[in-house]
Amino acid sequence: QLRADVLLLSTIRGAKQVGLYDAPLKLYELLFVIPYLFGGMMMPLFMRDRGVDGKGSFGPRLRAAVTASVILSSLAFAVVFVHAESVIALLAGDGFAASATPLRILAAAALFAGISAILRFAATALHVPEKMFRVDVIGVSAAIAMHLLLIPTYGIVGAAVGKLCGDVVTAIGALLVLR
């Protein structure tokens, strides 16, 4: 899912659109990696809370981890949403002004991708990574379907919305599987 949007965008719309999309995509990856690393740091605590016999509960810690991620990601989203034009101009230059709207959308997608990342570590702690794999397949399928539907008409905005849809589906699926 991380590169399906770029591949489809390059095939359907061309190199200029990929270039415009690359700057907000790099920021998405940066926003997404922070909760991913946080989830990795929580993994030993998830395992400890689970217990040797597998009968322990790490629900409270998992809720706290997801809540912390949502709060921090929401703050990052708010800043990026309000200042997208300035952020893009600072990082990529004035020629990337068209990338501001995809940046806003991808900042929201990063919030959901972060939730999924933490839940992925929880699934591993519970020894049910196959359930997350199924959720990932559904999320990737939703993203690709949205990319194919939206990129031809909306270009980089359609690519960003497709990624957002995939990340939302994956996060909701992970929440349902691990509830």
Side-chain angles (χ1 to χ4, degrees):
Q1 181 180 348
L2 282 176
R3 295 289 177 229
D5 50 351
V6 174
L7 178 64
L8 291 170
L9 191 61
S10 68
T11 303
I12 297 170
R13 293 296 293 251
K16 182 178 179 187
Q17 291 278 295
V18 173
L20 287 171
Y21 187 64
D22 191 52
L25 187 61
K26 296 295 185 229
L27 287 169
Y28 162 85
E29 291 170 354
L30 179 66
L31 292 172
F32 161 67
V33 78
I34 294 167
Y36 185 81
L37 292 173
F38 178 61
M41 290 188 306
M42 295 299 296
M43 184 68 168
L45 298 174
F46 290 158
M47 291 301 294
R48 184 188 70 196
D49 291 349
R50 180 180 167 273
V52 176
D53 58 1
K55 303 217 188 271
S57 173
F58 62 82
R61 188 174 315 272
L62 179 59
R63 277 190 294 281
V66 170
T67 300
S69 176
V70 167
I71 290 170
L72 291 174
S73 295
S74 295
L75 290 171
F77 167 74
V79 169
V80 169
F81 189 83
V82 171
H83 299 289
E85 288 86 1
S86 299
V87 171
I88 284 293
L90 177 68
L91 296 176
D94 292 332
F96 285 81
S99 300
T101 298
L103 176 59
R104 287 181 175 102
I105 298 165
L106 290 173
L111 188 148
F112 290 100
I115 292 169
S116 299
I118 292 171
L119 295 175
R120 185 168 284 105
F121 284 104
T124 302
L126 290 171
H127 299 295
V128 291
E130 69 280 355
K131 290 183 178 182
M132 273 307 295
F133 178 74
R134 286 187 214 120
V135 167
D136 284 333
V137 169
I138 293 167
V140 168
S141 300
I144 290 173
M146 293 306 292
H147 290 318
L148 290 172
L149 183 67
L150 298 173
I151 288 174
T153 304
Y154 300 104
I156 59 176
V157 172
V161 170
K163 184 172 285 298
L164 174 62
C165 290
D167 287 339
V168 167
V169 167
T170 302
I172 291 171
L175 285 168
L176 291 174
V177 164
L178 295 175
R179 68 181 188 292

